[in-house]
Amino acid sequence: MSERSLTINESDKYVFEKAVITEDNVPAQDSLHAWIVVFGSFLLLMVTVGTTNSFGVYLQEYQTEFPSTPKSTLTWIGSLQFGGMCFFGVLAGVLVERFDSRLVVFGGSIGAGAALLISSACTSPVALIITQGVLFGAFGSCILIPSISMPSQWMEKYRALATGIAVAGGSIGGLWMSFATRAMNMQLGYHWSLRINGFMVIVAGCAFSPLMRKRVVVPKRDKIIDFGALTNAKFVLLFVSSLFAAGGYYAPYYYMPPYVETVLQRDGWSASISSILNAGSIVGRVVIGLLADYLGPLNSLLLSSVLSTIAVLVLWLPFKSLGTLVASAVIFG
């Protein structure tokens, strides 16, 4: 039986300590099965991140349902959805490392779907913050982390492109779910919208979690969180910059839909603006994935950050017109 050592990059030394892999038990990268994994990640992120990307439509409904509650309070629901996915992602990463990733995704799907089902029975903003916000974010992290990390394990030549395609699923989900949610809100009410959304997450998780198999199983670490990475100046700089960048990432997704109807007085445009944001994001995530394979991930990240800043500070905030808002949504997306 031939053996080869897993190549460990300098930047990965805090993640992998030692791993010896045999040729016989490691599936090939860039294979048909690898693309099936990418497809599974795409579909899981479509319903999970798509739910957070279409929250702006729910927000407008909540403003009508709870008129005495400040908008800044209601936006905590959406903020905690994605924020919870990232915050609890640390725990989700540990679970994926120590247990079968397919079971983690399956359990996360059941929990996230149940959180939406419970939220459909809530009658106060605080209850929605806890259920649709915190609980969905916590369980959603068990879907988000494996779905983002699996393509990079299975792909080598087109790793960045595959990851871009996978995360574009969230944008495609936000694209059609914005219109679907608005239609359900109008015909059935937001309570049934949440129930249907919850069942979608559960069904998708049960159907596609079997595709989230780890390609490489590395030895378990003794420490749950290794703070040794904080001694790396490059890592700390990237972490701090990402912290500030991510802080404003979802503001257009949550504020543009109600802005177009309340400030610009364009009735029925909330779902359209949300879909435009997600449509632009579909193209952007795939294109950035392509560029990252040639320009490098950090250069691509810098380019996208600059364009996003221009979209908000130059096109959206100084003007109060539908045309510039659409242009800002396209570029930011």
Side-chain angles (χ1 to χ4, degrees):
M1 181 182 296
S2 60
E3 291 189 351
R4 63 182 174 84
S5 295
L6 175 66
T7 302
I8 306 297
N9 297 325
E10 181 67 20
S11 58
D12 297 329
K13 67 180 181 179
Y14 300 107
V15 179
F16 302 107
E17 293 179 359
K18 182 181 180 182
V20 178
I21 302 173
T22 63
E23 294 284 0
D24 298 330
N25 60 13
V26 178
Q29 291 179 304
D30 302 320
S31 61
L32 176 61
H33 184 82
W35 284 108
I36 292 175
V37 173
V38 174
F39 179 68
S41 297
F42 171 89
L43 293 174
L44 286 167
L45 291 174
M46 181 176 69
V47 295
T48 308
V49 179
T51 298
T52 65
N53 285 353
S54 59
F55 173 74
V57 181
Y58 281 112
L59 177 60
Q60 186 178 3
E61 197 72 19
Y62 294 156
Q63 287 181 266
T64 304
E65 183 74 13
F66 309 107
S68 60
T69 303
K71 185 191 298 184
S72 58
T73 300
L74 295 174
T75 54
W76 271 105
I77 302 171
S79 298
L80 289 172
Q81 277 188 329
F82 191 75
M85 288 185 187
C86 297
F87 179 80
F88 291 104
V90 177
L91 177 60
V94 174
L95 292 176
V96 170
E97 183 183 77
R98 296 175 180 266
F99 301 100
D100 191 327
S101 55
R102 293 168 290 188
L103 293 178
V104 175
V105 174
F106 178 80
S109 302
I110 299 297
L116 294 178
L117 294 177
I118 296 172
S119 67
S120 69
C122 296
T123 57
S124 69
V126 174
L128 286 170
I129 289 173
I130 295 172
T131 55
Q132 189 180 1
V134 177
L135 287 180
F136 180 86
F139 285 105
S141 66
C142 295
I143 307 173
L144 177 70
I145 300 304
S147 298
I148 291 178
S149 62
M150 288 303 118
S152 63
Q153 278 195 17
W154 285 89
M155 305 298 291
E156 182 177 17
K157 184 177 181 181
Y158 302 108
R159 180 170 296 165
L161 174 61
T163 303
I165 292 174
V167 297
S171 300
I172 292 180
L175 177 64
W176 67 264
M177 288 178 71
S178 297
F179 286 111
T181 301
R182 178 173 176 80
M184 289 188 292
N185 286 345
M186 294 177 63
Q187 298 295 325
L188 304 173
Y190 77 86
H191 298 284
W192 270 104
S193 297
L194 289 168
R195 293 185 188 113
I196 294 171
N197 200 165
F199 281 121
M200 285 172 48
V201 174
I202 293 174
V203 171
C206 293
F208 303 115
S209 59
L211 301 178
M212 296 292 99
R213 181 169 70 92
K214 288 183 283 190
R215 175 180 172 269
V216 176
V217 179
V218 298
K220 297 178 181 178
R221 293 173 293 173
D222 296 330
K223 298 179 180 179
I224 295 179
I225 301 177
D226 189 349
F227 293 98
L230 296 178
T231 61
N232 188 318
K234 293 181 180 179
F235 174 84
V236 173
L237 181 60
L238 179 62
F239 172 78
V240 173
S241 60
S242 299
L243 185 66
F244 283 99
Y249 176 74
Y250 268 95
Y253 284 93
Y254 296 159
Y255 282 101
M256 278 189 179
Y259 176 87
V260 72
E261 296 204 5
T262 57
V263 178
L264 300 185
Q265 300 295 312
R266 300 281 183 162
D267 293 336
W269 265 86
S270 60
S272 299
I273 285 295
S274 181
S275 296
I276 290 171
L277 277 164
N278 285 288
S281 186
I282 295 170
V283 178
R285 293 181 182 190
V286 175
V287 170
I288 286 296
L290 282 169
L291 291 176
D293 283 324
Y294 296 97
L295 301 180
L298 290 180
N299 291 331
S300 301
L301 177 62
L302 177 62
L303 176 63
S304 62
S305 299
V306 170
L307 291 177
S308 299
T309 302
I310 292 174
V312 173
L313 297 183
V314 177
L315 292 178
W316 179 16
L317 298 182
F319 303 99
K320 291 185 178 180
S321 67
L322 181 62
T324 54
L325 182 65
V326 170
S328 174
V330 171
I331 296 174
F332 184 88

